[in-house]
Amino acid sequence: MRTATQTSPLHPALAGIVLSGAVAWVAMRLGDIAWLQNHGFSALTVAIVLGIILGNTVYARMGAYCGEGVRFSKQTLLRAGIILYGFRLTFQDIAHVGISGVVIDAAMLLSTFGLAWLVGTRVLKLDRDAALLIGAGSSICGAAAVMATEPVLRARSEEVTVAVSTVVIFGSLAIFLYPLLYTLQAEPVWGLRLPDFGVYIGSTVHEVAQVLAAARSIDQHTADVAVITKMVRVMMLAPFLLMLSMRVAPRSSGQQHQPHQPHQPHQQRKLSIPWFAFAFIGVVIFNSFFPLPAQVNQVLLQIDTLMLAMAMAALGLSTHLSALRSAGIKPMILGAVLFAWLVIGGALVNGALGRLLA
């Protein structure tokens, strides 16, 4: 017979899932507010902010009971959300931006991520995982890319949160900067006429919501092209994860956080294969050739947003501000360097490749 002090092992998981779901639901409702939408703050951004607030206040007394469910939301629901994200994409999107848009997206992804690795690990001496997470968020699709890269690297929660923070800060700055750049680039003194400013925005701004907010400030055509270009860039997430898993195998648990352990050159590194990336590709293929009815697709996208918001909320709940403070200024410096490259280097890449491949 179960004693009064015993509880079902299912209860902690349910409690944490319900808590993450409640935070995500509030974030989704707040994300529908026009002012937040116009300033590029999606439900995912709001979810992590609410999660951090609760995680550093009342959650401290609930962590022991809700921890299992919060971990489930941060890991399993994240993977499911990335898979369902494929219903936002089709291969037909590529045709709308042409070969030049695809090449520009690929060039910006590879150059930005390479710069993150070089500056982050070699110049700033950041932990490898922290640098790569910031690079993934800046080069592909913001917070969703950071969260999708975390299982491959097996990074710490505080590293993930720092990377997401750089996306929020510099992506929000982009919302106000790009409309100004659109006005300036038309001035003869700048000598730079981009073939399509929508491709420029879509290939260089962090989050989908931030892309939409920045492009809408210009005109509808720019917004349409920017979003399609961004979605093609998002589609590159799956091959990126596959290549990353092969190139940067995570350190084994026995070697992690043991800097004084003798080097073992013959020990084989364990390769982490992101199977959810294969499922993501499968969903994109299915959505390209067998599109679901609009109402069904809309329901799936709502479920997807909820899952990703729950993962972001869980991340915030498990993040302590003291860990963020201990990360120091270097992650933000790296985020600033990458942002400068996206703005300046992105303009040069768009100008050169856009004309070459037009």
Side-chain angles (χ1 to χ4, degrees):
M1 180 179 295
R2 191 183 301 270
T3 64
T5 58
Q6 289 178 311
T7 58
S8 169
L10 190 60
H11 289 173
L14 286 177
I17 292 171
V18 169
L19 176 61
S20 299
V23 175
W25 184 84
V26 172
M28 291 174 67
R29 300 286 74 75
L30 292 176
D32 290 335
I33 297 176
W35 186 90
L36 291 176
Q37 289 182 345
N38 293 335
H39 289 80
F41 290 95
S42 66
L44 304 189
T45 303
V46 177
I48 192 171
V49 171
L50 292 178
I52 290 175
I53 293 173
L54 293 176
N56 289 270
T57 52
V58 298
Y59 181 69
R61 296 188 293 270
M62 306 162 58
Y65 192 68
C66 299
E68 186 177 340
V70 169
R71 284 190 296 272
F72 176 86
S73 299
K74 188 172 62 174
Q75 297 172 2
T76 305
L77 291 185
L78 165 66
R79 291 165 172 80
I82 294 297
I83 293 171
L84 288 182
Y85 204 91
F87 282 106
R88 303 174 189 268
L89 308 170
T90 66
F91 291 133
Q92 287 81 6
D93 292 334
I94 298 176
H96 292 157
V97 299
I99 187 63
S100 62
V102 177
V103 173
I104 289 170
D105 273 342
M108 291 309 303
L109 190 161
L110 294 173
S111 61
T112 304
F113 189 76
L115 185 64
W117 177 82
L118 179 64
V119 174
T121 60
R122 298 296 181 86
V123 179
L124 296 175
K125 306 298 182 183
L126 281 170
D127 179 80
R128 184 202 68 177
D129 291 353
L132 296 186
L133 286 170
I134 294 171
S138 299
S139 61
I140 308 176
C141 54
V146 174
M147 297 292 287
T149 305
E150 182 273 332
V152 177
L153 299 176
R154 298 178 186 172
R156 300 188 300 271
S157 293
E158 55 268 26
E159 292 175 328
V160 177
T161 304
V162 168
V164 171
S165 298
T166 65
V167 170
V168 173
I169 292 172
F170 294 107
S172 299
L173 180 60
I175 295 171
F176 305 100
L177 177 62
Y178 277 73
L180 177 61
L181 292 177
Y182 178 78
T183 302
L184 293 177
Q185 67 101 29
E187 298 294 330
V189 67
W190 287 86
L192 178 66
R193 296 296 182 93
L194 297 177
D196 197 316
F197 208 83
V199 175
Y200 173 48
I201 294 177
S203 63
T204 56
V205 176
H206 302 68
E207 291 268 7
V208 176
Q210 295 160 350
V211 166
L212 187 58
R216 271 180 178 170
S217 300
I218 298 174
D219 55 51
Q220 188 59 47
H221 170 75
T222 300
D224 293 342
V225 174
V227 170
I228 293 172
T229 304
K230 180 63 179 178
M231 298 314 287
V232 172
R233 190 171 152 206
V234 171
M235 201 180 299
M236 297 178 180
L237 176 62
F240 165 81
L241 292 176
L242 296 177
M243 288 188 291
L244 183 65
S245 67
M246 292 184 288
R247 181 65 182 87
V248 188
R251 292 160 294 192
S252 64
S253 58
Q255 291 175 300
Q256 243 175 338
H257 310 305
Q258 296 182 25
H260 302 297
Q261 183 175 346
H263 179 58
Q264 300 177 357
H266 300 294
Q267 183 173 357
Q268 185 177 6
R269 296 189 306 174
K270 183 180 179 182
L271 179 64
S272 177
I273 300 176
W275 296 108
F276 64 94
F278 288 98
F280 171 82
I281 295 174
V283 170
V284 173
I285 294 174
F286 179 87
N287 196 43
S288 299
F289 297 102
F290 307 100
L292 297 173
Q295 290 183 333
V296 176
N297 189 267
Q298 188 62 32
V299 171
L300 289 174
L301 294 186
Q302 285 291 325
I303 295 173
D304 174 54
T305 300
L306 175 62
M307 286 181 172
L308 292 177
M310 289 177 67
M312 297 297 282
L315 173 64
L317 288 169
S318 57
T319 298
H320 301 289
L321 291 178
S322 58
L324 296 180
R325 288 193 296 268
S326 65
I329 192 64
K330 289 183 178 180
M332 289 302 164
I333 293 177
L334 177 58
V337 169
L338 298 181
F339 180 60
W341 165 249
L342 288 167
V343 174
I344 301 172
L348 297 175
V349 170
N350 271 264
L353 292 180
R355 292 185 180 88
L356 179 65
L357 301 173

